[in-house]
Amino acid sequence: MAITQTAGRLSGIDAARGIALFGMMSTHVFPLYVDGTAEASWIGSVFSGRSSALFALVAGIGLALLSGGARMHDTAGLSRDRRGIAARAVVIAMVGLMLGGLETNIAVILFHYGILFLMALPFLGMPVRRLAWWAAGWTLLSPVAAFLLRPWLESAVSPADLGGNPALEHFAQPLTLLTDILVTGYYPALQWLSYLLLGILVGRLNLRSTAVQAGVLLAGVGAAGLAKFVSAFLLGPLGGLAVLLGTEQGRRYDLEAMLQVSLTGIDQTGTWWWLAVSAPHSGTPPDLVHTAGTAAAVVGLCLLVGSRLPRLLLPLSAPGAMTLTLYSLHIWIMSVVDQQAVPPEPAPVYWAQAVVFVAVALLLRKLHARGPLEYVAAGASDVARAEGSVRKG
């Protein structure tokens, strides 16, 4: 269907989702470090961690909008909403499992995405004030819980045995898979639920209000800046970085370079100072607050522009309305690229996909059509929403 304000769809939200899509694609294609050095590339500095956080935060906003937005549905409506969202989650998770069987170096987010949808269901009916407390508490305390759980879980199971993205065969090791999804994986759902809760909170606001749009932008910028300031103070003047550099991981890796790009693969145990870093994919309070802040800032900016100049955002909002299809296609393309004996130059690989994705999305929008996987997810949701009504009838 057409993406218009009057039809009830916010083009700014689709545009923010489009930015997340293209930002994640850039981290999959371009190097995150300058060749031959430990210096972060501009792609690594700008998009690593922030794009996927934006993807998750906008998912939370989407859940809020599906359940009524600022005018939350009544109890019966929320029950239907939860069934529909659960069906969407299953479709998304199944697509993620199929993509997990591909040979690729990319950490596929979709299975985790589906799990996060299910984890967010109990929070959909919360009043805004209570939800705000839950979102703040979860953002600040879930990293502490993960820090305490991680050594104990890794002594009981070995998530590294999974050897890559979640796939169907990993259900033969349910405890290991659950540990990886919730705590030890690339997108640990325990901490990443924070983004969905914050997104649901944003989605409960009147997002068509200019004051709210500007407020989301300014609050995001403030939170992102404050998180970086607090982390820098803890690591610098208070000596946290020196302690981390003295750990086994700090001696083995160029930790200062990784703090700018990603702490993926670093064993963050042994000292509480790990919780002070704000590095992408560290899952710490400063990381979650900073990346949620940058995500909120992007959402606020896109809403401000989209409410006034929606056509200006079409190259982003059109792909943003069919990210499940385009993200899945991107993963498949990159699995082919990753198998090439001589890797192609990253720029043509990226821009060819970006241009084709925008063109296809604009064409489908012109035809008032969705992406194929969006049709499947929406169909499953419609069936699940109607199921309860049929049974009651």
Side-chain angles (χ1 to χ4, degrees):
M1 62 183 292
I3 303 171
T4 64
Q5 297 296 313
T6 56
R9 187 155 194 137
L10 289 163
S11 63
I13 298 299
D14 283 333
R17 195 182 293 109
I19 291 172
L21 170 67
F22 291 124
M24 292 174 72
M25 286 170 53
S26 72
T27 64
H28 299 159
V29 177
F30 293 100
L32 302 182
Y33 297 92
V34 177
D35 290 344
T37 73
E39 180 183 352
S41 67
W42 76 269
I43 293 289
S45 298
V46 174
F47 294 110
S48 181
R50 296 186 181 94
S51 297
S52 49
L54 175 58
F55 202 53
L57 186 103
V58 174
I61 296 175
L63 296 185
L65 296 177
L66 284 170
S67 54
R71 297 183 178 181
M72 187 169 56
H73 293 158
D74 59 18
T75 301
L78 284 171
S79 179
R80 290 191 296 270
D81 297 333
R82 288 190 176 102
R83 290 197 302 272
I85 290 168
R88 285 178 185 268
V90 171
V91 171
I92 292 169
M94 290 304 298
V95 173
L97 288 175
M98 289 186 286
L99 293 175
L102 298 176
E103 292 292 331
T104 178
N105 296 321
I106 297 171
V108 179
I109 196 174
L110 291 183
F111 185 76
H112 306 75
Y113 207 53
I115 297 299
L116 287 169
F117 274 33
L118 297 176
M119 292 174 65
L121 291 180
F123 299 92
L124 285 182
M126 278 191 180
V128 170
R129 187 180 298 274
R130 189 191 307 170
L131 178 61
W133 281 108
W134 269 97
W138 204 283
T139 302
L140 297 176
L141 297 179
S142 62
V144 178
F147 180 83
L148 294 172
L149 287 171
R150 198 178 296 119
W152 177 72
L153 289 171
E154 291 181 338
S155 68
V157 298
S158 180
D161 291 346
L162 298 179
N165 289 307
L168 288 171
E169 60 265 26
H170 294 155
F171 282 86
Q173 306 174 66
L175 292 179
T176 303
L177 178 61
L178 186 64
T179 297
D180 185 67
I181 294 299
L182 293 179
V183 180
T184 63
Y186 199 77
Y187 306 107
L190 177 61
Q191 293 109 299
W192 276 64
L193 181 60
S194 304
Y195 296 125
L196 270 78
L197 297 183
L198 292 167
I200 294 171
L201 182 62
V202 172
R204 291 291 179 226
L205 305 175
N206 179 11
L207 296 181
R208 298 182 187 279
S209 164
T210 299
V212 170
Q213 295 167 356
V216 171
L217 169 60
L218 294 176
V221 171
L226 178 63
K228 282 294 184 183
F229 173 80
V230 170
S231 177
F233 182 74
L234 292 172
L235 295 180
L238 294 190
L241 181 59
V243 175
L244 295 178
L245 292 176
T247 64
E248 179 184 351
Q249 300 294 300
R251 293 189 297 269
R252 180 182 301 178
Y253 300 101
D254 191 338
L255 193 59
E256 290 186 83
M258 296 184 72
L259 287 173
Q260 304 303 314
V261 177
S262 175
L263 281 192
T264 301
I266 294 293
D267 180 17
Q268 299 175 60
T269 58
T271 172
W272 287 90
W273 283 110
W274 286 113
L275 292 175
V277 305
S278 60
H281 293 294
S282 59
T284 63
D287 172 37
L288 295 178
V289 173
H290 174 75
T291 50
T294 58
V298 170
V299 167
L301 180 60
C302 287
L303 286 169
L304 283 168
V305 176
S307 62
R308 291 155 181 79
L309 300 168
R311 292 187 178 276
L312 185 64
L313 293 180
L314 272 178
L316 294 170
S317 61
M322 51 180 293
T323 49
L324 180 58
T325 293
L326 295 181
Y327 178 88
S328 301
L329 180 57
H330 163 71
I331 298 297
W332 178 79
I333 291 171
M334 292 308 299
S335 73
V336 175
V337 171
D338 288 343
Q339 302 309 309
Q340 302 305 304
V342 179
E345 288 295 318
V349 171
Y350 178 82
W351 288 111
Q353 291 181 69
V355 170
V356 170
F357 288 0
V358 171
V360 169
L362 289 173
L363 175 62
L364 290 181
R365 180 184 184 277
K366 186 71 173 178
L367 297 173
H368 307 292
R370 299 172 176 174
L373 292 182
E374 281 71 24
Y375 270 117
V376 174
S381 176
D382 291 343
V383 170
R385 286 175 62 87
E387 181 66 20
S389 301
V390 172
R391 288 180 179 176
K392 288 180 182 179

